[in-house]
Amino acid sequence: MVTHTILFTLTLLCITLAGSAGDIQSVFAESEADYYRLDSIMTPKAQTESRAANWKPAPGDLVLEVSGIAVLDDHRIAVAIRKGEIWIMDGVYEEPPKNVTYKRFATALHEPLGLIYKDGAFYTVQRSELTRIRDTDGDDVADEYLTVAKGWGVTGHYHEYAYGPVLDHDGNMWLTLNIGLGLKKEHKSRAVTDPTLGFSQGRWRGWGMKCTPEGELIPVCAGMRSPAGLGVNRAGDVFYTDQQGNWVATNSLHHMREGAFFHHVEALASMSLPGSPVKGIKEIPNGLPFPEALKRMPQLKPPAVWFPYKKAGQSATDIMLDDSGGKFGPFDGQFFVGEFTQASIQRVFLEKVDGEYQGACFPFRSGFASAVLRMDQGTDGSMFVGLTNRGWSSLGTASYGLQRLVWTKKVPFEIKEMRAQPEGFELVFTKPVDRKTASDPKSYKLQSYTYTYHSSYGSDEILPRNLEIENITVSDDGLKAELKVKGLRALYVHELNADGVKSKEGQSLLHPDAYYTLNRIPKK
């Protein structure tokens, strides 16, 4: 009787705090884990222990610093690890994963930072080449290592990472190459120098390359600093992520295409090499707002999406397309982008306006055991997440490992899409909204800002402006809200907070913040 009285009193208190019985859910805050469950397959704090309840030690001293993932079937995946090996893991879909087995497939690789499986062979980008690795005698151990493509510079600088590959719809394999930061004399002796601008880097460093099915390596685009993530959308277009630093205002997502220059000027060291599609850059605008720099340098292209620093990550990594047809929740066709420092994942909605990509990023899932470096989608729609934080610190309880993110079949109340309109934005929700809150301008806050394009490390948000929402129209089904906004600015980030919007059932948005990169305002 006492227990019942306490429960009744607590219920009345919740109703009073929420304002109505329909708002009780908003009192009990829901978490990301209610919708996307995180299973630890291997997340050791050290080589001999793990926080995962069903963890079994890996063979010997295996340090599972996952640097590439390739899903093989409905019970096995392959992972590349940074110490230069490929392992086949079986039983990874089990819940809980207590019978995982490990078999080493390949070894003696030079820091592979990507992995795909195609036509019976693995492909990975080592520091100096794209390699094809195959088992020819059926014993599940590689016995054939073939160079598919090479030709970029390696000066010996520690920061010269090479990433990939990913496969586009035409059978080309794409890869990206890090800039070497602060080359010393011994590095410059193995570098190339642009005769006009004077920049020196390893050959094709800071470039995106593609390897044709015939094995021809082609430089495509330039201006990358630390392009740790590659991904392909449903249309077959290739994207990469970059990380904040000198010349790079904040983390960003870019559409890779021929002749584009993105931001890091030292990549122009290779501009005069035969085969370069980037030409004619004779001076660099330094210290200007990014929209102004774009006017001064026609080759400079804006990112499809800026990730505002700390608000949407600090060090972007891998890109994964949700190609599950709804098995991973309501975001089919969108990108997920890994985050190193904050050990989390962001979500990205993209659209084309006047033939160019732009879109919004949203927080998605935090709380991983270590830095998120690689992701791949399982056959059941779940997401395998490879972790390693060597070299830089990250949130989390482990230094490396493998986790699996599983949709619980509950649909979160989220802004599913944020679309540009001639006079504002259209928001698409995962659930019908409460019309009263969704049509109230006080439920939203909107501001815009840009960044400085300069040689300094990163950039503050500059030229901020609060924007007025003049009118809101909610669709009959409650799944859309059209915001008429005064003062849209092309080439600015438009940051939205929709904290006041409730669902029809009284839920608050799981993530009320969205960041739209408005490169082009649609025409009426």
Side-chain angles (χ1 to χ4, degrees), residues 202-217:
R203 183 182 180 92
W204 302 122
R205 282 285 154 190
W207 284 68
M209 319 283 284
K210 72 176 178 181
C211 178
T212 68
E214 295 73 36
E216 181 185 6
L217 186 66

Side-chain angles (χ1 to χ4, degrees), residues 107-417:
T107 189
L109 302 172
H110 189 173
E111 197 167 30
L113 288 171
L115 189 67
I116 63 172
Y117 185 72
K118 179 180 180 291
D119 299 332
F122 289 103
Y123 293 81
T124 188
V125 174
Q126 302 187 64
R127 186 158 285 217
S128 62
E129 69 170 47
L130 169 60
T131 311
R132 180 175 182 258
I133 304 168
R134 196 160 63 104
D135 166 29
T136 64
D137 58 10
D139 64 352
D140 292 330
V141 176
D143 45 48
E144 180 181 83
Y145 297 73
L146 297 177
T147 299
V148 177
K150 62 181 181 178
W152 58 87
V154 179
T155 71
H157 190 278
Y158 85 97
H159 203 254
E160 289 178 337
Y161 303 112
Y163 307 96
V166 296
L167 191 68
D168 71 14
H169 291 186
D170 296 320
N172 301 301
M173 293 187 188
W174 293 66
L175 58 99
T176 54
L177 303 169
N178 248 58
I179 283 286
L181 298 178
L183 299 188
K184 296 180 180 179
K185 184 177 180 180
E186 63 269 26
H187 305 130
K188 289 184 178 180
S189 68
R190 294 181 284 272
V192 296
T193 303
D194 180 76
T196 301
L197 298 173
F199 297 123
S200 295
Q201 279 287 332
R203 183 182 180 92
W204 302 122
R205 282 285 154 190
W207 284 68
M209 319 283 284
K210 72 176 178 181
C211 178
T212 68
E214 295 73 36
E216 181 185 6
L217 186 66
I218 301 172
V220 178
C221 49
M224 303 169 179
R225 178 184 179 270
S226 191
L230 285 153
V232 183
N233 69 0
R234 282 224 174 110
D237 292 322
V238 184
F239 294 78
Y240 86 93
T241 61
D242 216 339
Q243 297 182 358
Q244 185 194 59
N246 51 325
W247 295 107
V248 184
T250 186
N251 299 328
S252 47
L253 174 74
H254 301 262
H255 174 209
M256 298 172 67
R257 68 270 200 200
E258 185 177 356
F261 172 73
F262 297 112
H263 34 210
H264 203 293
V265 298
E266 290 186 39
L268 297 173
S270 297
M271 180 173 61
S272 299
L273 295 180
S276 168
V278 179
K279 300 181 183 301
I281 300 176
K282 297 180 179 179
E283 58 181 351
I284 307 299
N286 189 354
L288 298 177
F290 196 81
E292 182 63 29
L294 290 168
K295 296 176 184 177
R296 301 282 187 94
M297 189 194 300
Q299 299 90 339
L300 180 63
K301 305 300 179 186
V305 171
W306 290 110
F307 297 90
Y309 195 65
K310 292 191 176 180
K311 299 173 182 176
Q314 293 178 235
S315 43
T317 57
D318 208 12
I319 305 168
M320 190 199 89
L321 171 68
D322 180 6
D323 203 22
S324 67
K327 293 180 182 178
F328 193 60
F331 309 114
D332 182 56
Q334 298 190 13
F335 275 153
F336 293 93
V337 173
E339 158 57 26
F340 194 99
T341 306
Q342 295 181 1
S344 63
I345 294 174
Q346 318 296 324
R347 176 171 59 88
V348 172
F349 164 76
L350 289 175
E351 61 179 343
K352 265 190 174 181
V353 177
D354 293 336
E356 298 291 335
Y357 282 107
Q358 59 187 41
C361 63
F362 311 83
F364 176 65
R365 186 61 161 89
S366 58
F368 291 89
S370 189
V372 174
L373 183 64
R374 290 290 172 255
M375 304 176 292
D376 201 9
Q377 192 155 47
T379 57
D380 63 348
S382 63
M383 180 192 293
F384 289 98
V385 183
L387 314 172
T388 170
N389 69 3
R390 174 153 54 103
W392 291 268
S393 60
S394 74
L395 297 177
T397 59
S399 294
Y400 56 84
L402 180 70
Q403 293 183 293
R404 179 168 166 253
L405 197 61
V406 182
W407 182 39
T408 65
K409 308 303 181 185
K410 290 178 62 179
V411 175
F413 179 45
E414 296 271 42
I415 302 172
K416 181 180 177 182
E417 301 171 2

Side-chain angles (χ1 to χ4, degrees), residues 6-25:
I6 293 172
L7 288 174
F8 180 72
T9 302
L10 286 173
T11 301
L12 287 177
L13 176 61
C14 289
I15 293 172
T16 301
L17 290 172
S20 69
D23 286 337
I24 291 178
Q25 278 185 290

Side-chain angles (χ1 to χ4, degrees), residues 493-515:
V493 175
H494 287 65
E495 177 180 320
L496 175 73
N497 177 278
D499 201 36
V501 176
K502 306 294 181 185
S503 73
K504 203 171 180 180
E505 292 80 24
Q507 289 175 295
S508 296
L509 286 160
L510 185 62
H511 299 104
D513 297 312
Y515 309 91

Side-chain angles (χ1 to χ4, degrees), residues 28-156:
F28 298 102
E30 294 181 316
S31 72
E32 295 169 340
D34 292 324
Y35 304 98
Y36 288 91
R37 185 184 73 250
L38 195 52
D39 293 339
S40 291
I41 297 170
M42 181 187 181
T43 53
K45 297 175 186 176
Q47 293 182 16
T48 56
E49 64 175 330
S50 170
R51 72 172 185 171
N54 297 287
W55 176 76
K56 291 172 60 179
D61 60 352
L62 171 59
V63 177
L64 205 73
E65 295 180 296
V66 178
S67 58
I69 304 175
V71 170
L72 302 179
D73 49 41
D74 60 3
H75 55 98
R76 295 181 308 150
I77 66 170
V79 298
I81 61 174
R82 290 179 65 180
K83 71 181 288 186
E85 299 173 345
I86 297 172
W87 288 76
I88 309 295
M89 299 177 64
D90 203 339
V92 289
Y93 289 88
E94 285 189 12
E95 297 184 14
K98 57 185 178 181
N99 295 304
V100 177
T101 62
Y102 302 80
K103 184 174 179 62
R104 188 168 65 182
F105 178 81
T107 189
L109 302 172
H110 189 173
E111 197 167 30
L113 288 171
L115 189 67
I116 63 172
Y117 185 72
K118 179 180 180 291
D119 299 332
F122 289 103
Y123 293 81
T124 188
V125 174
Q126 302 187 64
R127 186 158 285 217
S128 62
E129 69 170 47
L130 169 60
T131 311
R132 180 175 182 258
I133 304 168
R134 196 160 63 104
D135 166 29
T136 64
D137 58 10
D139 64 352
D140 292 330
V141 176
D143 45 48
E144 180 181 83
Y145 297 73
L146 297 177
T147 299
V148 177
K150 62 181 181 178
W152 58 87
V154 179
T155 71

